[in-house]
Amino acid sequence: MKKFAMATAAVAALGAGVAQAYTVGTFSNGLVVPNVIHNGEGDTTAIGLINQSGGDRAVYWTFFDENSHALSSGCFKMGDRGFHPFIWAVESGSGMSGQRGYLVFALGETAGTPGVPAVPAVPAVPAVPGVPAVPAGRLPPTPAIAAIPAIPAIPAIPAIPAIPAVPAVPHPDCADIATLATVGDTARISASAFQVNIANKSVSYVPVIDGPLTLAAAATDLTRLDRGSLTGVAGAADLAAANAADQTRFHMRYTISPGTDTSLVLWSTGDHRGTYAVDAYDDNKQNRRRVNFGLKKGHLDVVNPKTDSNLAETDADGFIEWVPRNGGAAPRDMADLGGTAAHALAVVGGSVFTYSLIESSDLGAVQTILGAHR
């Protein structure tokens, strides 16, 4: 009977309604998988991509660690209406086993721009007749200068031929222009992702954040993305830069009741590391408890509210409300954790995405619940 009661509580926790405030399941010029890790091929993030662009397209990918250091990158070609399985344990190799991070997938431009024909040279202006040359030596009295005839008209410059339309060309071996496809491009990809654990016979859903992607510079080389390259992802929440009035609140579901455990996943384009004072609300009395919420990584953090936020055992089920600007421009302990105030999320703004992973030992299942924000 006790185990049945625990399982019932777990079902109630997993099924609790949470507003889905992010955009997933659409096609765009790129996407982000915010939480990627493998421990060998038996425990790995598996991603499936779909191309619906009307032709062959090159897809560039970059893997970043939790502090947005680019550790690996590559490219693959996708045919129209094609499907591409991307198994992280296979793509990364054993050298990055246990390394958590996130993946950015981006479409390259379809083709280059043909050369512009050279503009014809302007003809030289002929010498002006009628002006006597000045002799060398002593100057004679200055004669009257004859009227200077009009300068002949300069011939019109021929019109520059129109630049022909850019043809859609294939991308053999990804030998295309590695700049991000524009929003107006008809090219579109989408993806879904899962964490597959063969030993535990478990498959858990990993959210994918839809684009369009925003890069710091339009001409950014997709083969050389770095920590400052990605500044926005349309499917995530947008935090305004250096705007203290923007008090966006992020709500993350948790349960730490017997038989369950929770991991809160937070991802952002700005540096969010630091210690925040957050409000935790329990499951039925809506009692507010103020607890410390420590984010030790700059752009991707996985927090266990039971051990990392000092929740009491009586706060078994509820949600945590996080306001990134509660700590001001630079959260407490940011510098001690290796962050720089100039790069802080509250200063530079950017995209933020949260979700909860709730594991039930009684049910043998892992439930993914998207966060909500307002």
Side-chain angles (χ1 to χ4, degrees):
M1 179 63 69
K2 182 177 180 181
K3 186 172 183 179
F4 176 78
M6 290 169 58
T8 302
V11 170
L14 296 178
V18 175
Q20 308 298 299
Y22 300 109
T23 303
V24 296
T26 64
F27 287 85
S28 68
N29 67 356
L31 51 94
V32 173
V33 184
N35 185 19
V36 175
I37 192 170
H38 84 82
N39 295 288
E41 294 186 25
D43 181 12
T44 183
T45 306
I47 304 157
L49 297 102
I50 300 172
N51 173 24
Q52 280 281 17
S53 62
D56 291 352
R57 296 305 295 254
V59 180
Y60 294 85
W61 61 267
T62 303
F63 176 78
F64 295 90
D65 69 8
E66 297 114 313
N67 291 319
S68 283
H69 298 122
L71 301 184
S72 184
S73 63
C75 179
F76 53 87
K77 185 177 72 174
M78 291 187 69
D80 183 36
R81 301 196 178 187
F83 174 79
H84 184 89
F86 189 94
I87 312 302
W88 180 232
V90 176
E91 296 289 345
S92 71
S94 60
M96 275 191 278
S97 178
Q99 173 64 66
R100 190 178 300 278
Y102 64 93
L103 277 164
V104 176
F105 292 90
L107 279 176
E109 287 284 4
T110 55
T113 301
V116 179
V119 178
V122 179
V125 179
V128 180
V131 179
V134 178
R138 185 177 178 181
L139 295 177
T142 304
I145 299 175
I148 300 174
I151 300 174
I154 300 173
I157 300 174
I160 300 174
I163 299 173
V166 178
V169 296
H171 305 276
D173 301 322
C174 289
D176 63 332
I177 293 179
T179 53
L180 181 65
T182 60
V183 174
D185 189 342
T186 58
R188 296 288 182 266
I189 57 171
S190 71
S192 57
F194 298 89
Q195 188 69 26
V196 180
N197 189 312
I198 296 176
N200 294 336
K201 298 180 179 180
S202 170
V203 177
S204 58
Y205 168 65
V206 178
V208 173
I209 313 172
D210 292 349
L213 305 179
T214 301
L215 301 181
T220 299
D221 186 341
L222 295 177
T223 67
R224 291 178 171 82
L225 296 184
D226 58 27
R227 181 170 54 188
S229 298
L230 183 65
T231 59
V233 188
D238 181 50
L239 198 68
N243 182 359
D246 182 355
Q247 293 290 304
T248 303
R249 299 169 181 269
F250 295 86
H251 303 80
M252 293 161 280
R253 182 75 174 84
Y254 77 87
T255 177
I256 53 176
S257 57
T260 60
D261 205 2
T262 297
S263 295
L264 305 178
V265 181
L266 301 93
W267 175 89
S268 70
T269 57
D271 194 331
H272 58 230
R273 77 187 88 188
T275 300
Y276 301 81
V278 301
D279 291 327
Y281 296 87
D282 68 13
D283 56 343
N284 52 16
K285 296 180 181 178
Q286 296 185 357
N287 294 325
R288 180 177 69 91
R289 182 186 296 273
R290 198 76 161 168
V291 297
N292 282 334
F293 193 62
L295 301 179
K296 299 178 181 179
K297 303 295 184 179
H299 298 265
L300 168 63
D301 245 292
V302 180
V303 179
N304 184 329
K306 182 188 298 184
T307 59
D308 297 340
S309 297
N310 300 315
L311 286 174
E313 293 182 2
T314 53
D315 300 321
D317 299 292
F319 68 90
I320 285 177
E321 182 182 72
W322 171 51
V323 184
R325 285 198 168 89
N326 266 356
R332 181 161 50 95
D333 303 330
M334 184 180 194
D336 294 337
L337 293 169
T340 303
H343 299 151
L345 176 63
V347 174
V348 300
S351 296
V352 184
F353 192 90
T354 67
Y355 68 95
S356 303
L357 285 170
I358 301 179
E359 183 174 3
S360 169
S361 59
D362 294 315
L363 299 179
V366 178
Q367 178 69 44
T368 302
I369 301 178
L370 294 186
H373 59 86
R374 63 178 180 86

